[in-house]
Amino acid sequence: MKMIFKRLLSLTAAAVFALSSFSVLAFADDEEEEEEEAIEFTYDESYLTDTKEPALSFDGSAFSDYIHLTRDAGVGGISFEQDKDTYYQGNSLVVYASTSGCDGYFSCSGMVRDDDNNLLYPDAPDAEETDDITIIGIELHAEDFGLSCFDGCLINFAYRLTEEDTALLDSSVWVFSANEDNVRQVNSPTQLEINTLADNNISQYQTNGLLSVPADSSSTKIIFEIPTQGSIDAAVLYLDNITISLPDTVEDYGYVANVDSYNASAEPREGSDELKISKTTSLGDTTSEVEKSSDGISPVIIIVIIVIVLIVAAAVFFIIRKTKNRFY
């Protein structure tokens, strides 16, 4: 009996050691992965201000140093220039597309639904599979504004679409933050969809363009995706007064200062100022609560449960054995 009990204890010890080693390795891998992905939010104070003003107003000529074409912009024939006629305040940016249509998937293809709320492209690649996605549009780079990344920032802008945008995926321009590898870092991008009703965004500017960049997301880019699904050769997007609000962790400063000669005295044109905030969280937040609760069980707790079960089993076995010896 003693021999059996010793063997049970030995097996218990071995199981505990193996599980402990596994949990330590798992924790180490998780910590290493987090360290690799995280970009610390830092800034150059010379680019910042405590006065609210647009970082990009498109009023001067320097704006062209801060607007970049996305990786696949050439596929959609994307180009841009300063516009002095269709503006919200001062001058604006106009973006053109010229293409017979682009095949394949875009960054936001997997989010488009039909009238019955069914996904139109259920086989669309995940955001991480950037090699299988066409990214067409323009983008902002954090380093141009003295920032290491846009994490925790709030991006506000005035925009206006055109009737030609029916050639775009879901008749929309999509706005989201991305990392250096062009991986989208929000699960709900801001969708700028053609609207000819009360909040008409074709005949007038809408000043409610908004993107909240998740903290700790390593978002070094803000992408205005123009998914040219159909044939188009026209202006597709007007932008004006892009404001970059800093995270609350930045003391003494609230905004990125203007970099392109903002004409504050210019009279703004009439536009809609109704604020509509899209939910923007990190991709990791899409897990359901049930999945989170099951995934969140600590390996240490599992080890403790196994040890208790084995000890109880050994004790029961020992008691039964003792009882048998007493009566027989």
Side-chain angles (χ1 to χ4, degrees):
M1 178 61 197
K2 290 183 179 179
M3 184 63 68
I4 294 175
F5 187 67
K6 287 182 177 179
R7 288 180 179 176
L8 285 172
L9 288 178
S10 297
L11 289 172
T12 301
V16 171
F17 177 78
L19 288 170
S20 298
S21 300
F22 174 78
S23 63
V24 169
L25 289 173
F27 285 140
D29 289 342
D30 289 342
E31 290 177 359
E32 182 178 352
E33 184 177 350
E34 287 179 3
E35 289 178 0
E36 290 178 355
E37 293 181 355
I39 292 181
E40 181 183 3
F41 181 84
T42 59
Y43 51 86
D44 182 342
E45 291 189 6
S46 64
Y47 284 84
L48 310 183
T49 179
D50 59 356
T51 302
K52 185 176 182 179
E53 62 183 22
L56 282 172
S57 62
F58 309 106
D59 293 341
S61 60
F63 78 90
S64 58
D65 295 331
Y66 300 89
I67 300 294
H68 305 273
L69 296 178
T70 58
R71 183 190 67 188
D72 305 313
V75 178
I78 301 297
S79 62
F80 59 83
E81 65 180 7
Q82 185 183 61
D83 186 276
K84 298 183 179 181
D85 298 316
T86 309
Y87 59 84
Y88 170 67
Q89 181 185 24
N91 297 322
S92 67
L93 179 78
V94 57
V95 184
Y96 300 96
S98 180
T99 177
S100 58
C102 304
D103 297 327
Y105 295 107
F106 304 96
S107 292
C108 298
S109 292
M111 310 191 72
V112 180
R113 296 179 179 272
D114 60 20
D115 294 337
D116 296 323
N117 205 34
N118 298 312
L119 290 174
L120 285 180
Y121 307 101
D123 298 326
D126 293 332
E128 293 82 2
E129 301 175 61
T130 56
D131 290 341
D132 301 321
I133 293 172
T134 303
I135 305 174
I136 299 174
I138 60 173
E139 61 188 32
L140 309 180
H141 295 171
E143 61 183 358
D144 291 342
F145 302 95
L147 307 176
S148 60
C149 59
F150 289 110
D151 295 4
C153 291
L154 192 67
I155 316 299
N156 180 251
F157 53 91
Y159 74 95
R160 183 170 169 173
L161 303 180
T162 75
E163 294 179 351
E164 306 299 329
D165 289 344
T166 53
L168 306 184
L169 174 69
D170 208 24
S171 301
S172 302
V173 172
W174 305 75
V175 189
F176 54 88
S177 64
N179 63 17
E180 279 300 309
D181 297 321
N182 293 306
V183 177
R184 176 167 48 83
Q185 295 300 300
V186 294
N187 58 32
S188 297
T190 297
Q191 182 178 4
L192 311 179
E193 185 177 8
I194 286 181
N195 187 345
T196 56
L197 301 177
D199 295 330
N200 192 307
N201 55 21
I202 292 180
S203 64
Q204 65 179 355
Y205 269 88
Q206 296 290 315
T207 59
N208 57 12
L210 190 71
L211 175 69
S212 178
V213 182
D216 303 320
S217 61
S218 299
S219 296
T220 57
K221 300 179 179 181
I222 302 297
I223 295 179
F224 290 80
E225 184 179 42
I226 302 171
T228 51
Q229 190 174 54
S231 177
I232 186 171
D233 186 13
V236 290
L237 174 66
Y238 293 91
L239 287 173
D240 207 348
N241 289 5
I242 300 178
T243 302
I244 303 174
S245 301
L246 301 171
D248 293 336
T249 54
V250 179
E251 298 180 358
D252 301 325
Y253 301 102
Y255 309 91
V256 171
N258 180 258
V259 295
D260 63 348
S261 304
Y262 173 47
N263 182 6
S265 62
E267 189 69 23
R269 288 185 173 179
E270 183 179 356
S272 172
D273 58 2
E274 180 183 355
L275 194 61
K276 294 182 179 178
I277 303 176
S278 295
K279 294 180 180 179
T280 52
T281 54
S282 62
L283 289 171
D285 292 339
T286 58
T287 311
S288 68
E289 291 301 321
V290 175
E291 292 171 333
K292 284 182 180 178
S293 61
S294 61
D295 291 342
I297 298 176
S298 170
V300 176
I301 296 176
I302 296 174
I303 293 172
V304 172
I305 292 173
I306 292 175
V307 170
I308 292 173
V309 170
L310 289 175
I311 291 175
V312 171
V316 170
F317 179 83
F318 179 74
I319 292 171
I320 293 173
R321 187 72 176 181
K322 273 283 194 180
T323 303
K324 281 186 177 180
N325 289 340
R326 180 179 298 177
F327 290 100
Y328 297 97

